[in-house]
Amino acid sequence: MPELVRIQRENFSIEAEMENVKKASKGIGAVVTFLGTGRDNSKGFEISGLDFEHYPGMAENKLKDIRERALKNFNIIEMGIVHRIGNIDVGEDIVLIVAASAHRNDAFMACEWAITELKRTTPIWKRETTKTGDVWVSETP
Amino acid sequence: MPELVRIQRENFSIEAEMENVKKASKGIGAVVTFLGTGRDNSKGFEISGLDFEHYPGMAENKLKDIRERALKNFNIIEMGIVHRIGNIDVGEDIVLIVAASAHRNDAFMACEWAITELKRTTPIWKRETTKTGDVWVSETP
Amino acid sequence: MISVKFFAMLKNLTKAEAKQYNIEGTITLEELKGMLKKDFPALEGVFASRSVFISVNQEFADKNTVIKDGDEIGLLPPFSGG
Amino acid sequence: MISVKFFAMLKNLTKAEAKQYNIEGTITLEELKGMLKKDFPALEGVFASRSVFISVNQEFADKNTVIKDGDEIGLLPPFSGG
């Protein structure tokens, strides 16, 4: 059984990750997922590929911390988070967050909070390949 | 290519439905999905199975209408909706809504709106099998 | 002829899937409800509690909706999909 | 010895992955920044614009954080995961 929270180079199976979360309880009635994918454009520039770097150890711990705080602060039953690093093509999957609860409102709130918190607190950086070269993206002020 | 919006007896593949929505555009950067599953309890009663009935024709049209209004009222790129009918076991998938957009906020808003609208406007009824018999559920006042 | 379809728990109440009526000209929703209550007394409480939607040709009806020959009417209890 | 790791665009700026320093006792974040600016003048603008987080032993540092021998420091530009 794969870990619920992890960082990996290879692609993930959305269905497998959801199953991994769903098996936490038969009381789950709602599963909300956020999937981030590689867009072909950013701020008006054409993108031909992405590359993600992370701070090994710290990034994994920040993701685990997000899951633990989500379980504590929202009425959810389980949460899974997977983020890829390395080279990612346009259209490929980058990040998946799965939040499961008895009723839908809790899962929506926790999932939206978790992706916002991931972007704010997790040391992961994106480099975009454009026609004029590679650009590191700074999204958090 | 399966229809983006439909009602069917058989189970669906979450991954296939998401792929079907994702191929609308390479500008998609966020995919938010809501998955409704059969819980083993409801209002304190133990549930051993579910059975969904729909108004053929009208139910399909109401779902198509939700997709069209979502595309018009939210900044999303595509939406898919699949609802199952017939017998559904505890833990099985019932309904899937997939909303795709460039940025995550639009997909979250559209997905949450669509499931609320589905429950409000689509003639589908759930019957729960409990130890003391089968009960039709009235959730909309 | 018009056809009235019953769904979900209303099928249990009426012990029927549908009921046909021959009408002359047009009738109002209230007139239809009167006809139905006569044939299915169990529907009286349902109409009184307003816990039912009525569709005409698969669109939600309102106070001003008029029913004419050939229409398909649906008696829809509160939805519980999703 | 302490080790300072550079990430993402900061690696491009410093043209290094990491830098080791020998320290005696403890030093403050401001003292560390001074040492780094001397070795990597390109970091001056980064510190001035505050567009960098500093981690000590993989936890975010704050004004009161003190660095001691053996610590692992991270120079983290704004995140762009997700």
Side-chain angles (χ1 to χ4, degrees):
Chain A
M1 168 175 157
E3 295 230 22
L4 280 165
V5 177
R6 55 190 206 279
I7 292 176
Q8 63 185 39
R9 292 198 168 265
E10 60 273 24
N11 205 350
F12 46 78
S13 154
I14 296 164
E15 203 120 10
E17 298 306 322
M18 289 175 79
E19 279 306 313
N20 205 11
V21 168
K22 275 173 69 181
K23 71 183 167 202
S25 163
K26 285 196 186 300
I28 290 172
V31 183
V32 173
T33 67
F34 171 79
L35 175 73
T37 61
R39 280 185 297 144
D40 66 355
N41 69 85
S42 173
K43 287 157 188 146
F45 290 94
E46 201 180 304
I47 307 293
S48 59
L50 299 167
D51 190 21
F52 285 87
E53 178 181 328
H54 77 311
Y55 187 165
M58 183 173 177
E60 285 85 349
N61 286 337
K62 288 294 167 192
L63 294 188
K64 283 175 193 165
D65 186 53
I66 289 169
R67 171 176 169 276
E68 279 160 28
R69 286 187 289 141
L71 289 173
K72 208 169 77 181
N73 296 329
F74 296 89
N75 193 14
I76 58 169
I77 294 170
E78 192 48 278
M79 174 176 279
I81 308 176
V82 187
H83 201 301
R84 288 177 66 198
I85 51 164
N87 289 313
I88 294 184
D89 287 339
V90 166
E92 279 189 24
D93 299 336
I94 300 165
V95 58
L96 182 73
I97 297 182
V98 182
S101 56
H103 303 286
R104 73 183 186 280
N105 193 39
D106 304 303
F108 270 112
M109 286 199 302
C111 189
E112 197 164 4
W113 173 84
I115 180 60
T116 304
E117 200 66 1
L118 184 155
K119 286 171 179 277
R120 194 177 72 82
T121 65
T122 309
I124 298 179
W125 299 273
K126 173 168 68 180
R127 194 172 57 184
E128 297 174 338
T129 301
T130 71
K131 277 181 181 166
T132 53
D134 287 4
V135 185
W136 283 105
V137 180
S138 323
E139 286 179 334
T140 316
Chain B
M1 169 176 157
E3 295 230 23
L4 280 164
V5 177
R6 55 191 206 278
I7 292 176
Q8 64 186 37
R9 290 196 168 267
E10 59 272 25
N11 206 350
F12 46 77
S13 154
I14 296 163
E15 203 120 9
E17 299 305 321
M18 289 176 79
E19 279 306 314
N20 204 11
V21 168
K22 275 173 68 182
K23 70 184 169 201
S25 163
K26 284 194 187 299
I28 290 172
V31 183
V32 173
T33 67
F34 171 79
L35 175 72
T37 61
R39 280 185 295 145
D40 66 355
N41 69 85
S42 174
K43 287 157 190 147
F45 289 94
E46 199 180 304
I47 307 293
S48 59
L50 300 166
D51 190 22
F52 284 87
E53 178 182 328
H54 77 311
Y55 187 165
M58 184 173 178
E60 285 85 348
N61 285 337
K62 288 294 167 193
L63 294 187
K64 283 175 192 163
D65 187 53
I66 289 170
R67 172 177 169 273
E68 279 160 26
R69 286 187 289 141
L71 289 172
K72 208 169 77 180
N73 296 330
F74 296 90
N75 193 15
I76 58 168
I77 294 171
E78 190 50 276
M79 174 175 279
I81 309 175
V82 187
H83 202 300
R84 288 177 67 199
I85 51 164
N87 290 312
I88 294 182
D89 286 339
V90 167
E92 280 189 22
D93 298 336
I94 299 166
V95 58
L96 183 74
I97 297 182
V98 182
S101 57
H103 303 286
R104 73 183 186 282
N105 193 38
D106 304 304
F108 270 111
M109 286 199 302
C111 189
E112 197 164 3
W113 173 84
I115 181 60
T116 304
E117 200 65 2
L118 184 154
K119 286 171 179 278
R120 194 178 73 83
T121 66
T122 309
I124 297 179
W125 300 273
K126 173 168 67 179
R127 194 173 56 184
E128 297 175 339
T129 300
T130 71
K131 277 181 181 166
T132 53
D134 287 4
V135 185
W136 283 106
V137 181
S138 322
E139 286 179 334
T140 317
Chain C
M1 197 176 72
I2 62 169
S3 177
V4 183
K5 296 182 169 196
F6 306 117
F7 291 94
M9 62 278 268
L10 296 183
K11 275 195 290 207
N12 297 6
L13 273 183
T14 59
K15 301 192 183 0
E17 299 243 333
K19 170 76 182 169
Q20 278 77 39
Y21 291 103
N22 286 308
I23 61 169
E24 308 224 340
T26 61
I27 60 169
T28 64
L29 284 191
E30 287 310 312
E31 287 169 328
L32 175 72
K33 286 183 192 172
M35 290 154 65
L36 286 165
K37 281 191 276 193
K38 220 170 79 182
D39 287 327
F40 306 101
L43 288 179
E44 186 131 12
V46 173
F47 290 136
S49 70
R50 296 185 185 188
S51 58
V52 63
F53 299 104
I54 297 179
S55 65
V56 176
N57 298 328
Q58 307 200 353
E59 289 294 342
F60 293 114
D62 61 36
K63 269 187 200 170
N64 305 315
T65 304
V66 162
I67 295 163
K68 61 181 190 309
D69 192 43
D71 282 353
E72 173 184 302
I73 289 93
L75 243 60
L76 319 178
F79 309 145
S80 48
Chain D
M1 196 176 73
I2 62 168
S3 177
V4 183
K5 296 182 168 196
F6 306 117
F7 290 95
M9 63 277 271
L10 295 184
K11 275 195 291 207
N12 298 6
L13 273 183
T14 59
K15 301 194 181 0
E17 299 242 333
K19 170 77 182 166
Q20 277 77 37
Y21 291 103
N22 286 307
I23 61 170
E24 308 223 341
T26 62
I27 60 170
T28 64
L29 284 191
E30 287 310 311
E31 286 169 327
L32 174 72
K33 286 183 193 174
M35 290 153 65
L36 287 164
K37 281 191 276 194
K38 218 169 83 181
D39 288 327
F40 307 101
L43 288 179
E44 185 130 14
V46 173
F47 290 136
S49 69
R50 297 185 184 187
S51 57
V52 64
F53 300 103
I54 297 179
S55 65
V56 176
N57 298 328
Q58 307 199 354
E59 288 294 342
F60 294 114
D62 61 37
K63 270 187 200 170
N64 305 315
T65 304
V66 162
I67 296 163
K68 61 183 190 307
D69 191 44
D71 282 351
E72 174 184 300
I73 289 94
L75 242 60
L76 319 177
F79 309 143
S80 48

